[in-house]
Amino acid sequence: RMEVEQASGQDIAVVLATAFFDTATRFVRRAERAKARANARIRSDRVDRVLANRLLGLPIFLGLMFGLFWVTFALGDYPVGWLESLFGLVSDGLVSIWPDGQVVWLRSLVVDGIIGGVGGVIVFVPNIILLFLGLALLEDTGYMARGAFIMDRFMRRFGLHGKSFIPMICGLGCSIPGIMGTRILEDEKDRLLTMFVLPLMSCGARLPIWLLLVPAFFPPAWRAPMLWGIYFFGAMVALLLALVLRRTVFKGGETPFVMELPPYRMPTGRALLVKMWERSWLYLRKAGTVILGISIVMWFVTSYPRPEYFEVDRAIAAGEQFSEVEAQQLRQSEALRSSAAGRIGKVIEPAIAPLGFDWRLGVAMVGAFAAKEVFVSQMAIVYSLGGDDEEGLQSLSEYIRRDYSPAAGVALILFLLVATPCMATVAVTRREAGSWKFAILQFFGLTAMGYGLAFLAYNIVSLFC
C-alpha cells in the first residue's frame, strides 16, 4: 500500500477505484454492439411523468400488480385443471393395475403419499410460472426501480426506509433472499425493522396455498381480487406493524433515500425466460426433494399406528346396515384418527378450535413450518387417506369447501399469511440479526398476531355467513 501510494501520489482507495472503473470501461467497449440512444433518458423521463407521478404513481403500481394476479388466475386455471386430471389418471391407473391384496402399504405410499402429496403441489406450477414471468417483466423494463421510488414517500409514513421496498419485493418470491437483501440498508435499526416485518409479504411458497384456498371459498369472479387482496393485506399489516415498532422498539432518525433510476428498456425474451425458469425450477426442485421427503413422512404418520379393530365392523356385527362404500370410508376415517398425525391433531385441536379449525388443519399447519407449500401436500394426503369421491368431488379445493365454513376459510388464510414463518426463515433471520432472541421474538410475535387476526375474522364473518 505504501509503495502504491508513493508511486501514484494518491490514496490507495482512489487508485483502486480508478483501476476498477478503467477495467469496467474496457469491458464495456469490447462488449458494446451499438451506442446507447442519446434520447433514452429523455424518453424515460417523459414516461416517468406518468408512471412515477406523485399522485398517479401509486394507483398505477397497485393496478399493475392486480393485473398480474388476474393473469395468474385467468390463464393458469386451464393448465392447472389439466395437471389435476393427469395426476388423477396416473393414480387411478396405478390402482387398477396393482394386484389385489399385494403389498397394499406400498400402493398407498405411492398413490396417496407421493403422487397425492407432491402432485398436489406440482399442479400449481403454471400459476407460479405466470407470476414469475410477470415479475421478471416488471424488473427488466426498469419499472421495479420506480416502484421503490414511488413507495419511498408512502413507506416513510410508516417508519420504513424507501430502500426497504426492494427486499420486501424480493420477499414476494421468498422471504430468505428478502431478509438477506436487507443488507442494502445502511442503518441497523432500519435493517432490523425491515427484517422483522418482511415475512408478512406473501412469499412464493404461500402461493400454492392461496391457489388452493381461494377457489375453495370464493366464486370465480372474486378469485383474482381476493388474491390481490391477500398480498395487499399482508403488505398493509407489515406497514402498520412497522409503524408501531418504529415508535417503540426501533426509535431513530431517518436516513435519506438516494437511488439511481435506470432508463426504461425493452426486455429480451431470453432474459425473461431464464429468470422465469430459474425461479420455477427452484420450486420444482423443492417439490422433488423437501416436499417429497415430508410427504413420505406425512404418509407414514397418517397411516400408522393402525387401530386394533374398527368400530364400524363391530356395528356391522351387531346388525347395523352399511353399504360397502360407507363401511370403507368409515374405516379410513377411524384409521386416520388413530394414526400418529391424528393423535397430534387431537392435541392441537382445542387451541385452534376457536378459529374454526379441526385436527386435520392443525396437522397440516405444523408440517408447513418446514416449508409452506407442504400445507397443500399434507391436506392432499389427509383427504386421499380419509375421504371418498362419491359426491363427485374432483379437486382438493372442493373437499375443503365441503368441510369448512367460509368464516373458517377467511381465518385460515389470515393465519397462514401472518403466523409461523417457516424454519428456513427463522434460521436466516437469526444469522442476519445475529441473535436467536430476535428470531424467536419474530416467530412468536407474528404467530400471536396471526392468531388474533384469525380469531377476529372468524367471529366477524360468522355473523354474516
Side-chain angles (χ1 to χ4, degrees):
R1 174 174 180 168
M2 290 174 62
E3 290 177 0
V4 169
E5 289 183 342
Q6 187 176 5
S8 64
Q10 295 178 315
D11 184 79
I12 188 68
V14 176
V15 175
L16 290 176
T18 302
F20 283 141
F21 280 106
D22 287 345
T23 302
T25 301
R26 288 198 300 272
F27 279 130
V28 168
R29 287 173 179 169
R30 291 170 59 185
E32 192 175 45
R33 288 189 282 181
K35 293 290 184 183
R37 297 193 306 270
N39 61 353
R41 171 59 64 182
I42 297 175
R43 291 183 178 179
S44 292
D45 290 342
R46 289 174 180 172
V47 174
D48 280 339
R49 291 174 188 172
V50 178
L51 296 185
N53 184 272
R54 185 170 186 172
L55 298 177
L56 299 177
L58 184 58
I60 290 174
F61 175 75
L62 295 177
L64 286 173
M65 297 304 294
F66 175 82
L68 177 58
F69 295 135
W70 181 85
V71 169
T72 299
F73 254 119
L75 298 185
D77 271 353
Y78 301 103
V80 167
W82 301 334
L83 286 175
E84 286 179 339
S85 300
L86 175 62
F87 281 109
L89 290 173
V90 172
S91 298
D92 294 341
L94 279 174
V95 171
S96 64
I97 65 175
W98 201 282
D100 291 337
Q102 299 294 316
V103 202
V104 177
W105 68 268
L106 181 59
R107 183 187 69 182
S108 177
L109 171 61
V110 174
V111 174
D112 300 327
I114 297 176
I115 297 177
V118 178
V121 175
I122 291 179
V123 295
F124 297 118
V125 166
N127 301 101
I128 289 170
I129 288 175
L130 288 170
L131 179 64
F132 286 155
L133 177 62
L135 290 175
L137 180 64
L138 294 178
E139 290 171 4
D140 285 7
T141 56
Y143 181 72
M144 275 302 183
R146 272 75 182 175
F149 171 76
I150 292 167
M151 296 298 292
D152 174 56
R153 185 181 297 108
F154 180 73
M155 294 179 71
R156 283 188 178 276
R157 296 176 182 175
F158 296 91
L160 285 171
H161 193 278
K163 285 185 180 179
S164 298
F165 176 78
I166 298 170
M168 291 176 78
I169 284 293
C170 291
L172 294 177
C174 179
S175 297
I176 295 170
I179 290 172
M180 295 174 68
T182 58
R183 298 175 186 177
I184 66 173
L185 297 165
E186 295 84 0
D187 185 77
E188 183 70 7
K189 289 184 177 180
D190 286 337
R191 194 170 73 88
L192 291 175
L193 178 59
T194 305
M195 197 183 305
F196 194 96
V197 303
L198 195 142
L200 293 168
M201 302 296 291
S202 183
C203 63
R206 290 187 177 101
L207 181 59
I209 301 177
W210 312 144
L211 297 175
L212 171 68
L213 297 181
V214 170
F217 298 107
F218 299 96
W222 282 81
R223 291 173 186 174
M226 287 308 304
L227 184 61
W228 178 85
I230 289 170
Y231 281 82
F232 180 76
F233 183 82
M236 291 307 301
V237 172
L239 293 174
L240 292 173
L241 179 60
L243 178 62
V244 173
L245 293 176
R246 173 62 80 180
R247 294 182 177 181
T248 54
V249 181
F250 298 106
K251 290 182 179 180
E254 292 188 353
T255 306
F257 176 43
V258 179
M259 181 178 181
E260 180 182 359
L261 296 180
Y264 288 103
R265 295 183 175 88
M266 181 63 68
T268 64
R270 180 178 179 180
L272 293 177
L273 291 175
V274 166
K275 282 190 175 183
M276 178 190 70
W277 168 248
E278 286 178 347
R279 296 172 181 178
S280 301
W281 173 243
L282 288 175
Y283 177 83
L284 284 171
R285 189 170 64 183
K286 185 184 286 189
T289 53
V290 175
I291 296 174
L292 174 61
I294 295 174
S295 295
I296 293 174
V297 172
M298 183 63 184
W299 170 85
F300 183 82
V301 298
T302 52
S303 301
Y304 298 97
R306 305 286 292 180
E308 296 181 3
Y309 59 86
F310 292 104
E311 294 292 340
V312 63
D313 292 332
R314 285 188 170 184
I316 292 173
E320 294 189 37
Q321 298 296 319
F322 296 94
S323 69
E324 183 57 35
V325 172
E326 290 173 336
Q328 183 60 26
Q329 182 186 359
L330 290 172
R331 291 189 192 100
Q332 290 175 329
S333 180
E334 288 185 41
L336 190 57
R337 288 176 180 272
S338 68
S339 67
R343 295 174 185 180
I344 293 171
K346 288 298 182 182
V347 173
I348 299 172
E349 194 170 41
I352 60 177
L355 309 181
F357 305 163
D358 62 6
W359 63 273
R360 292 173 295 187
L361 292 179
V363 171
M365 287 188 293
V366 170
F369 174 61
K372 290 298 180 184
E373 308 99 317
V374 173
F375 177 87
V376 177
S377 64
Q378 290 190 333
M379 291 301 292
I381 292 170
V382 166
Y383 275 101
S384 65
L385 291 173
D388 70 283
D389 56 3
E390 290 300 305
E391 299 178 39
L393 303 182
Q394 299 297 322
S395 68
L396 183 56
S397 292
E398 291 175 324
Y399 282 107
I400 293 174
R401 183 187 305 120
R402 178 193 66 181
D403 292 344
Y404 300 100
S405 67
V410 174
L412 181 60
I413 289 173
L414 286 177
F415 187 84
L416 292 171
L417 173 65
V418 177
T420 59
C422 69
M423 62 182 183
T425 299
V426 174
V428 171
T429 298
R430 182 267 163 198
R431 187 183 69 185
E432 293 296 315
S435 168
W436 273 114
K437 181 179 178 181
F438 183 88
I440 292 172
L441 177 63
Q442 180 195 56
F443 178 84
F444 286 103
L446 294 180
T447 301
M449 186 168 66
Y451 188 97
L453 289 172
F455 179 80
L456 289 174
Y458 176 71
N459 286 278
I460 293 172
V461 177
S462 295
L463 297 175
F464 302 96
C465 298

